[in-house]
Amino acid sequence: MTEGEAKALATRIEGHWHRLGHATVKVWAEAIDPSNRPVVWVIRSNLVNGLPPARQ
C-alpha cells in the first residue's frame, strides 16, 4: 500500500465511525521502515478489539 492509499483508507475508516456518532475514534497511517526493507504503510487506530473506545 502506498502512502496516499494508506492515508485515504485511514480517512475513510475514521469518517465511517464519525458518521455513526463515534467522534472519539482516531485513525492514521504510519510508516514502518525496517532498515533492510522498503517502507511499509499500515493503518493504526484507537479502536479496541475493533470497536470504538468507551465514551468518557
Side-chain angles (χ1 to χ4, degrees):
M1 171 175 309
T2 66
E3 178 181 6
E5 292 169 337
K7 287 181 177 180
L9 180 57
T11 299
R12 194 170 159 203
I13 293 168
E14 187 172 277
H16 168 76
W17 284 107
H18 288 189
R19 282 189 298 281
L20 293 176
H22 299 284
T24 60
V25 171
K26 304 293 181 213
V27 183
W28 63 94
E30 189 174 292
I32 305 296
D33 188 13
S35 60
N36 60 348
R37 295 186 181 173
V39 173
V40 175
W41 287 91
V42 297
I43 306 300
R44 302 280 187 191
S45 74
N46 67 339
L47 295 173
V48 179
N49 294 324
L51 297 172
R55 294 183 184 182
Q56 299 176 359

